[in-house]
């Protein structure tokens, strides 16, 4: 496996020596302060090129960085094929057999003006034409948890309680995947919003829990993390019922905390009524 420095040098050498590549930047965890940086970290690279069509039509281009295990081109998907005659941005996501991974995005220099609005952390590796739009960005403020409005808070609380009835219906009918998806995708999305707001409040909304909340453990107590991990059910229907109520009660605890800290009203009578309705359906399943 190429070391981090070896792969970095190869990327930099490629960008420097190829005259078609007019600038190069690095984004992602490798340049984001506080992000996990280990042997599993990807290289998130952007090449700004004189004519993107020379790169989008060359699907073997990524072989120069190693032996490819699997590659994905998310901009050329069966549901929305890429226009190879156009100059829209294009990415190659490539996992190499040696363990390295490079997510390389190509942007035509005709689109360079849009980079003035870019806000994520990045390092400028090469800038042959001194594009003023390409600047070093060290702040990760764009990733911080955002404080909710009262309207958004109400919407999340309402949606969580509403979807809980879909789960109970699915469990009563023994519709395994329906119930599980409603619980682990739709309800969980609302739950994660609430627990992130709690974390945001506790940290003055100056932190991020990362993509898919992968850094949750950095901001929760050991007890809270154990509580969170304990909400995920096995494939047993009775266990799914138990975990549904665990999630429901934990969400209410969090919503009370967030509402009190942000001065939002919260209808606890509705919450109790929904919980009793769920319990009634469980008793008569």
């Amino acid at each position: 496996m190429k070391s981090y420095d070896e792969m970095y040098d190869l990327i930099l050498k490629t960008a420097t020596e190829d005259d078609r590549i007019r600038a190069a930047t690095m984004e992602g965890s490798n340049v984001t302060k506080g992000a996990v940086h280990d042997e599993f970290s990807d290289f998130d690279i952007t090449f700004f090129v004189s004519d993107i069509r020379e790169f989008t039509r060359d699907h073997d281009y990524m072989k120069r960085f190693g032996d490819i295990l699997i590659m994905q081109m998310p901009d050329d998907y069966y549901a929305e094929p890429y226009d190879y005659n156009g100059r829209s941005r294009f990415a190659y996501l490539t996992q190499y057999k040696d363990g390295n991974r490079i997510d390389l995005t190509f942007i035509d220099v005709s689109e360079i003006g849009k980079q003035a609005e870019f806000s994520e952390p990045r390092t400028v590796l090469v800038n042959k034409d001194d594009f003023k739009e390409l600047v070093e960005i060290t702040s990760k403020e764009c990733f911080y948890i955002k404080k909710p409005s009262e309207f958004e808070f109400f919407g999340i609380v309402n949606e969580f309680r509403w979807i809980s009835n879909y789960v109970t219906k699915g469990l009563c009918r023994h519709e395994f995947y329906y119930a599980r998806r409603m619980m682990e995708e739709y309800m969980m999305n609302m739950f994660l919003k609430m627990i992130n707001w709690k974390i945001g409040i506790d940290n003055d909304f100056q932190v991020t829990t990362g993509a898919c909340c992968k850094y949750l453990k950095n901001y929760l107590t050991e007890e809270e993390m154990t509580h969170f991990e304990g909400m995920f059910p096995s494939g047993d229907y009775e266990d799914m019922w138990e975990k549904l109520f665990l999630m429901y009660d934990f969400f209410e605890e969090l919503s009370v905390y967030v509402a009190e800290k942000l001065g939002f009203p919260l209808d606890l009578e509705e919450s109790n009524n929904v919980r009793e309705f769920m319990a009634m359906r469980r008793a008569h399943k």
Side-chain angles (χ1 to χ4, degrees):
M1 176 177 178
K2 294 185 184 69
S3 67
Y4 172 88
D5 289 338
E6 289 172 331
M7 184 59 81
Y8 177 87
D9 289 343
L10 179 56
I11 293 169
L12 187 59
K13 183 175 187 290
T14 301
T16 301
E17 295 182 354
D18 190 333
D19 195 52
R20 299 174 300 170
I21 302 170
R22 305 311 303 163
T25 58
M26 182 159 68
E27 298 79 30
S29 60
N30 284 327
V31 298
T32 303
K33 185 178 180 180
V36 172
H37 182 193
D38 57 19
E39 68 270 25
F40 303 109
S41 299
D42 310 331
F43 284 89
D44 293 286
I45 304 294
T46 303
F47 284 172
F48 298 87
V49 297
S50 54
D51 188 344
I52 196 171
R53 294 169 297 184
E54 296 183 20
F55 297 90
T56 57
R57 294 169 181 171
D58 182 9
H59 290 173
D60 289 333
Y61 184 84
M62 299 303 290
K63 291 181 178 179
R64 69 189 60 233
F65 301 109
D67 294 326
I68 296 174
L69 175 69
I70 184 170
M71 184 171 72
Q72 187 175 79
M73 295 175 287
D75 300 300
D76 189 21
Y77 195 53
Y78 74 91
E80 192 173 347
Y82 183 77
D83 177 10
Y84 285 94
N85 293 316
R87 292 177 179 265
S88 298
R89 62 186 295 141
F90 191 90
Y92 291 103
L93 314 182
T94 312
Q95 177 67 60
Y96 292 94
K97 292 179 180 179
D98 67 359
N100 280 297
R101 174 176 157 174
I102 301 177
D103 293 349
L104 179 54
T105 299
F106 288 91
I107 296 178
D108 196 275
V109 292
S110 63
E111 300 289 319
I112 197 72
K114 296 179 181 178
Q115 292 303 301
E117 302 172 4
F118 191 84
S119 60
E120 297 179 16
R122 74 173 170 197
T123 295
V124 179
L125 305 178
V126 175
N127 192 356
K128 298 173 183 176
D129 300 316
D130 296 322
F131 294 117
K132 65 180 183 302
E133 295 87 353
L134 297 183
V135 295
E136 301 275 335
I137 302 174
T138 58
S139 171
K140 56 180 181 179
E141 184 176 347
C142 64
F143 298 136
Y144 287 167
I145 298 166
K146 303 297 188 297
K147 183 186 296 186
S149 67
E150 183 179 322
F151 186 61
E152 182 182 8
F153 174 80
F154 170 80
I156 294 303
V157 169
N158 180 262
E159 181 75 354
F160 181 88
R161 294 171 182 171
W162 181 262
I163 296 297
S164 68
N165 286 300
Y166 286 26
V167 180
T168 59
K169 178 171 63 175
L171 290 175
C172 287
R173 290 174 171 172
H174 278 206
E175 296 170 339
F176 180 81
Y177 182 65
Y178 175 86
R180 196 164 186 114
R181 185 178 183 189
M182 286 294 162
M183 182 177 175
E184 295 188 0
E185 182 176 342
Y186 294 96
M187 282 187 74
M188 183 56 70
N189 285 343
M190 302 303 107
F191 181 91
L192 290 173
K193 282 270 192 181
M194 194 62 67
I195 202 167
N196 269 273
W197 289 337
K198 189 266 184 188
I199 290 170
I201 289 168
D202 291 344
N203 295 275
D204 297 321
F205 290 96
Q206 297 293 304
V207 296
T208 174
T209 56
C212 298
C213 301
K214 59 185 177 182
Y215 300 138
L216 267 183
K217 65 179 183 292
N218 295 346
Y219 302 103
L220 298 179
T221 65
E222 185 176 343
E223 181 181 0
E224 288 172 330
M225 195 65 199
T226 299
H227 198 173
F228 175 73
E229 292 171 346
M231 294 189 318
F232 293 85
S234 65
D236 179 77
Y237 279 104
E238 283 304 311
D239 190 54
M240 290 172 71
W241 275 112
E242 290 294 327
K243 300 307 169 56
L244 171 61
F245 281 94
L246 280 175
M247 183 191 291
Y248 193 91
D249 292 342
F250 195 4
F251 180 89
E252 180 169 303
E253 177 186 327
L254 292 167
S255 63
V256 168
Y257 181 88
V258 172
E260 288 179 349
K261 293 294 184 180
L262 298 181
F264 296 159
L266 184 64
D267 187 350
L268 294 180
E269 182 179 356
E270 180 184 77
S271 177
N272 292 333
N273 289 341
V274 171
R275 195 185 194 285
E276 289 175 5
F277 184 77
M278 291 163 57
M280 179 190 69
R281 280 194 158 175
R282 182 183 185 185
H284 294 89
K285 69 183 188 296

